[in-house]
Amino acid sequence: MSYNLQVDIDKSSGFCFGVVYAIEMAEDILDNEGYLYCLGDIVHNDEEVERLTKRGLKIIDHEILKGLRDEKVLIRAHGEAPSTYQLALENNLTLIDASCPVVLKLQNRIKVSHDSDEQVLIFGKHGHAEVIGLQGQTDGKAIVFQDLAELDHVDLPAKFTLYSQTTKSTDKFYHIKDELISRGYDIKANDTICRQVSNRYEELENFVVNYDRIIFVSGKKSSNGKVLYDVCKKYNDSSYFVSTVDEIDQNWFAANDKVGICGATSTPMWLMEKVKSALEQY
């Protein structure tokens, strides 16, 4: 049976400027030198990481970094804690710093708050690379939480400063802020969510309502991918999350369906185009 699917890719999906910047930096060095170390996955998308590792990108963790000497190491868009820069000095490492400017600005603001003896709270994902870098600006003293329930067991001061990981949901951030204020806390709240990310909520709302089915393409490690997929699901119940072409199920579709493809800020356009080609074969 031929499904005769009509398939479109969302024009506003794909890499944000921070990811584009990091990948272009990596590719330039790979073209010239043949290899480059990268601290952590350059982007939370396994397919793109695999493409770049085939070109010579060597993904390392902080443990391997400690033993590295006299090499170039890429800092990805998520940014790093001050301790990483200190280690680079000690080990004579050249850091190719592709930290996103939005993240760097947030790191600086958090450092200023901490240096002013403010208690810092960060709404973010535990263990996320960006959050580790943010918490590092406070010598690990910032309180990180993923949802409000975690704060029920924390003895919070009457007054504190609230920040957010750049890829979190704006709605959720403001809900948390309002709830904490209603509990009587004196809060200095800083909406530090990247507008290139938050603007995509509305763009996705407008996109997904025009299709019978939505295929949302994202790496499973992407925080931003989870948030944006929830937006798709909210406005089009026939939305499916896939990381690779192999995860698509033909049974999701009916003949002549209009199918929309979209993705996270860490999803490469070539991968969405690969999904489109596969669907057009059905």
Side-chain angles (χ1 to χ4, degrees):
M1 170 189 168
S2 173
Y3 282 88
N4 190 35
L5 302 175
Q6 298 172 56
V7 189
D8 297 320
I9 297 175
D10 171 32
K11 301 269 189 298
S12 67
S13 282
F15 290 155
C16 62
F17 72 85
V19 171
V20 170
Y21 179 61
I23 287 173
E24 285 180 350
M25 268 182 143
E27 288 182 324
D28 281 349
I29 293 169
L30 292 171
D31 285 344
N32 291 323
E33 300 183 23
Y35 78 98
L36 173 65
Y37 290 100
C38 178
L39 189 52
D41 286 346
I42 189 166
V43 62
H44 284 152
N45 187 280
D46 291 344
E47 309 286 299
E48 180 67 2
V49 169
E50 186 185 348
R51 181 184 78 82
L52 288 164
T53 51
K54 282 177 179 166
R55 290 189 57 180
L57 193 70
K58 300 174 187 291
I59 308 292
I60 60 169
D61 59 18
H62 287 83
E63 208 49 50
I64 293 172
L65 185 74
K66 287 175 190 170
L68 221 53
R69 299 282 184 285
D70 312 319
E71 290 283 3
K72 285 183 179 167
V73 180
L74 184 84
I75 302 291
R76 59 205 173 151
H78 302 99
E80 277 293 321
S83 54
T84 300
Y85 294 87
Q86 185 57 43
L87 181 67
L89 281 173
E90 292 165 9
N91 287 8
N92 195 34
L93 299 172
T94 303
L95 294 184
I96 313 297
D97 199 341
S99 300
C100 172
V102 177
V103 174
L104 285 177
K105 186 179 175 187
L106 172 54
Q107 285 186 352
N108 188 50
R109 289 178 69 180
I110 287 178
K111 185 178 187 326
V112 169
S113 288
H114 174 68
D115 290 349
S116 305
D117 293 327
E118 297 169 14
Q119 173 61 62
V120 174
L121 265 70
I122 300 169
F123 168 47
K125 181 181 176 185
H126 293 294
H128 188 280
E130 180 192 321
V131 174
I132 291 167
L134 298 177
Q135 199 175 19
Q137 309 305 316
T138 70
D139 299 324
K141 293 189 172 70
I143 297 167
V144 175
F145 66 101
Q146 288 180 189
D147 58 58
L148 272 169
E150 291 177 45
L151 297 179
D152 293 344
H153 313 293
V154 177
D155 188 16
L156 293 175
K159 184 176 183 177
F160 53 81
T161 304
L162 177 66
Y163 288 98
S164 172
Q165 179 183 338
T166 59
T167 51
K168 281 295 183 188
S169 156
T170 319
D171 288 349
K172 198 165 177 192
F173 174 79
Y174 280 103
H175 168 71
I176 286 166
K177 174 194 162 184
D178 292 343
E179 176 59 30
L180 289 170
I181 288 170
S182 76
R183 293 181 187 181
Y185 292 108
D186 180 358
I187 301 174
K188 195 196 306 185
N190 300 278
D191 173 357
T192 49
I193 292 160
C194 174
R195 285 303 173 256
Q196 232 199 333
V197 173
S198 62
N199 289 346
R200 291 200 181 179
Y201 307 157
E202 198 174 336
E203 288 162 353
L204 272 184
E205 286 171 30
N206 296 333
F207 177 77
V208 301
V209 293
N210 299 311
Y211 296 90
D212 302 305
R213 309 276 181 263
I214 291 294
I215 303 299
F216 184 83
V217 188
S218 171
K220 292 183 172 63
K221 296 178 198 164
S222 169
S223 295
N224 153 257
K226 292 182 180 68
V227 172
L228 292 177
Y229 174 65
D230 287 344
V231 173
C232 293
K233 196 76 178 157
K234 182 178 176 183
Y235 292 94
N236 186 327
D237 197 46
S238 298
S239 294
Y240 302 92
F241 186 110
V242 302
S243 295
T244 66
V245 172
D246 301 341
E247 293 174 8
I248 300 168
D249 185 340
Q250 283 196 22
N251 296 321
W252 293 342
F253 308 101
N256 304 312
D257 267 351
K258 282 180 72 183
V259 182
I261 297 170
C262 43
T265 56
S266 52
T267 305
M269 186 55 73
W270 66 261
L271 184 55
M272 288 185 279
E273 284 165 354
K274 194 172 167 185
V275 169
K276 182 176 191 277
S277 297
L279 294 179
E280 287 172 341
Q281 305 301 313
Y282 290 173

